[in-house]
Amino acid sequence: MKLFNNIKSLKNKEAGRRAFILANGPSIAKEDLSVLKGELTIGMNASTLLEATHNFRSDYYVLSDTRFITHPEKKHLATTALHPETVRVLRSELKELDHKELANPTYYIPALQRDGFSKNLHAGYFFGCTTTMLAIQLAYYLGVSEIYLLGCDLRYQAESPRFYTETNPQLEDSFTSVQIWNIVNASNLLESEGKRLVSCSEMSFLRPYIEYEPFARAVESSDVFA
């Protein structure tokens, strides 16, 4: 594995670009993600399945949940199923559980506290009870100007909490308010710096709190906010 201990090499690496974050809510399954070819994408958890379906690859991949990488039906999605050039950014606690022979450049960073926003991933990140928060903080650290959230529904319905099928679904209803608070806090911080955090999920519980834009319209836009 190409292990990099110093994530400082990623700081502002994608300055001025826009990024699409691939969360795992059911709504993402309705989108034509093949149009993401050439776009900066940050995947997480089972988003690897979407790459295979829509014939694209994520530039970055994040993972923070120990339950995911230890699950026998899911671990390969965070390891061997990824494109070897996808850069992985994982919570440091996952290092000992990770696959040891991947070609992917991989960084491990510590979790600080639950609530907040880190501008410096070298020091760590705030986990906010959702891997989406790691993706947002990574996008900020990369220097991204516009961040679009796909599939960040935050509706953990028992019959379909995520876009993919699970034998034993992991529900997060008790943390939804924490997740919303942290993502809205991130949106406010980004806005104060002239950047955007946009939800592309019409059904998301984020809809009343942060900017919404349909994915089709977002991907067609050529505006870049510096």
Side-chain angles (χ1 to χ4, degrees), residues 16 34 37 45 50 87 97 114 118 131 136-137 150 155 194 200 207-208 219:
S34 64
K37 290 180 181 179
N45 297 353
L50 300 170
V87 177
L97 303 170
R114 188 187 73 176
S118 174
T131 306
I136 294 172
Q137 288 165 95
L150 305 180
R155 294 177 179 266
C200 294
R207 186 77 185 271
V219 80

Side-chain angles (χ1 to χ4, degrees), residues 99-135:
H99 196 289
K100 306 303 181 186
E101 299 180 359
L102 296 179
N104 304 73
T106 300
Y107 300 82
Y108 300 99
I109 59 174
L112 298 172
Q113 299 178 33
R114 188 187 73 176
D115 302 324
F117 189 94
S118 174
K119 296 183 178 182
N120 179 15
L121 288 191
H122 180 67
Y125 78 103
F126 291 85
F127 62 90
C129 295
T130 171
T131 306
T132 300
M133 277 303 300
L134 175 53

Side-chain angles (χ1 to χ4, degrees), residues 54-221:
H54 296 277
N55 192 27
F56 75 98
R57 73 170 180 87
S58 292
D59 300 279
Y60 300 89
Y61 176 90
V62 299
L63 188 66
S64 62
D65 193 340
T66 300
R67 296 173 302 175
F68 195 95
I69 203 166
T70 57
H71 196 291
E73 297 177 8
K74 299 178 181 179
K75 184 174 182 176
H76 74 287
L77 298 175
T79 55
T80 56
L82 281 171
H83 190 283
E85 294 181 11
T86 297
V87 177
R88 302 163 76 237
V89 178
L90 277 63
R91 184 172 179 161
S92 58
E93 286 84 350
L94 303 183
K95 184 176 181 180
E96 295 304 316
L97 303 170
D98 201 9
H99 196 289
K100 306 303 181 186
E101 299 180 359
L102 296 179
N104 304 73
T106 300
Y107 300 82
Y108 300 99
I109 59 174
L112 298 172
Q113 299 178 33
R114 188 187 73 176
D115 302 324
F117 189 94
S118 174
K119 296 183 178 182
N120 179 15
L121 288 191
H122 180 67
Y125 78 103
F126 291 85
F127 62 90
C129 295
T130 171
T131 306
T132 300
M133 277 303 300
L134 175 53
I136 294 172
Q137 288 165 95
L138 172 60
Y140 178 93
Y141 195 70
L142 291 168
V144 169
S145 298
E146 294 180 279
I147 304 170
Y148 294 93
L149 303 178
L150 305 180
C152 190
D153 304 334
L154 304 183
R155 294 177 179 266
Y156 301 103
Q157 300 171 345
E159 66 276 11
S160 58
R162 297 172 179 85
F163 78 86
Y164 58 96
T165 302
E166 299 175 271
T167 303
N168 298 300
Q170 298 169 350
L171 304 181
E172 307 291 352
D173 289 304
S174 60
F175 298 114
T176 301
S177 61
V178 174
Q179 295 168 337
I180 292 173
W181 187 92
N182 278 281
I183 294 173
V184 172
N185 178 60
S187 176
N188 292 337
L189 184 146
L190 289 163
E191 184 178 1
S192 73
E193 298 188 9
K195 301 179 180 182
R196 300 172 70 204
L197 179 62
V198 181
S199 172
C200 294
S201 171
E202 185 176 11
M203 64 180 287
S204 176
F205 277 145
L206 290 170
R207 186 77 185 271
Y209 307 108
I210 72 172
E211 183 180 353
Y212 164 73
E213 187 171 343
F215 174 60
R217 185 189 306 163
V219 80
E220 290 173 359
S221 172

